[in-house]
Structure formats: C-alpha cells, structure tokens
Amino acid sequence: MKNLLIVLLFVLAIPMARAGVWIEPYLGYMSGKATATVSVLGGAPTEYKYTYKTPMLGARLGYGMMGLSAGLDYSLSTGSFEYKQDTPATTHGADKDKYTNLGIYVGYKFPLLFRVWGTYFLKSETKTDTVGAGTGSTVGDKVKGKGYALGAGFTGLPLVAINLEYRAITFDEVTDASTGTTTTLPISNALFTESEIKAKEIMLSLSVPFDL
C-alpha cells in the first residue's frame, strides 16, 4: 500500500511539475468585412457592406500544462484604420477607427508541429479616431459587441509560430459621442429598422509562445 501511494503521488506530481505560465505575444495583419441591414418606413431592406484592414498587436496570457493552455487574449489595432463603405456605392470619405478585443481562450499544442485554439471575445470595440467627409460620424463614436475566434498555428520553426485565425464578431451596441446616447441593436419600429452589425475577419500572425 505504501509503495502504491508513493507511485500515485509521483504520477500526480508530473503534470504539476510541468505546469507554468503561458505567455504568447503576437503581431498580425487582419482583413475584415462587416454587414448591416437597414430599412425605412417599411420599405425594402438595404444591405450595407464595409471593409477594413489593419495590423494587429496582441498577446495571450494564461496557464499552460502538457500542451494545454488557457487564459486571456487581448489585441488592438496598431493605429487607426479606414472603415470603408463599399455597398451601397458612396462618394463620402471613410472614417478611421481604432479596434480592441478582450477575450478568454483555450488552446492545445500537438506533439507534431501544430496547435489549435478557440477564443470567446467578451468585448470587441471600434472607436472613431478620424471622421471622413460626409459620413456623419463624430470622433469618439463607439461600436461594441462580442464574438469568437478559431485559430491554428504551425510550430515547426525555432521560437516563432505562424498562425491563421478566423474571427466572427456581432456588434450590437452603438454609442454616439455627440449626444452621449447608447443604442442597442437590432432596432425595429414603424419608421426604421436596423440589424446588428456582423463582422467576419481573417488574421495572419506571427507569435512567440513561452511556456514558463
């Protein structure tokens, strides 16, 4: 019995000894598309389509053990980026926004050159930094939402991992900086309807994972 207890304690101690802090800074480039549907006075709905591209800087910080890691994921655009309206066609300028995301993630690194992870974003926010001509926006306008990401990475290089990530964000809260009012989407009444803003993003990144 005594020997059995010693063996059991040894087996339990192995994963504890291998556990540690997971730190993974990353730098990537994101390309995104967003859509929303608006109708006025019960008329036919109009679909608005937007595109944006921006470098992103971020980090995953958590707890790692035997290939498994979990913790927080935070990322932000490295500067303000153009948020362009593609449809319906327009002649007005493009706003420039800043973008931040905060989420919780779970990932797993396979023994052979490959890792995967999933993230749930508790808060995703775009904030207007520069107003384009004719857009009707105000500096400081905010759009907030939640979403998720699925990612995969190649870990066969020394130190650096090459990653591809898909993000899907639903923005459902709009704050007008000029009035201080916040509107929850979707909106539906006799005069006006507006859907949530659905965004889909692809990000290619390089990261440096540390399991300390």
Side-chain angles (χ1 to χ4, degrees), residues 73 99-105 118-125 143-150 165-172 196-201:
D73 185 335
Y99 193 16
T100 58
N101 298 274
L102 175 63
I104 53 176
Y105 83 94
T119 303
Y120 176 71
F121 291 112
L122 304 167
K123 180 182 178 182
S124 294
E125 177 183 289
V143 181
K144 298 179 183 179
K146 296 180 176 65
Y148 68 89
L150 298 173
E165 186 175 67
Y166 169 78
R167 296 183 173 189
I169 311 294
T170 298
F171 294 98
D172 58 1
E196 300 166 324
I197 303 167
K198 303 283 189 177
K200 297 180 179 180
E201 304 165 348

Side-chain angles (χ1 to χ4, degrees), residues 170-200:
T170 298
F171 294 98
D172 58 1
E173 185 177 294
V174 179
T175 299
D176 187 330
S178 62
T179 62
T181 59
T182 298
T183 302
T184 300
L185 302 175
I187 302 170
S188 182
N189 55 52
L191 300 177
F192 182 80
T193 63
E194 181 178 357
S195 70
E196 300 166 324
I197 303 167
K198 303 283 189 177
K200 297 180 179 180

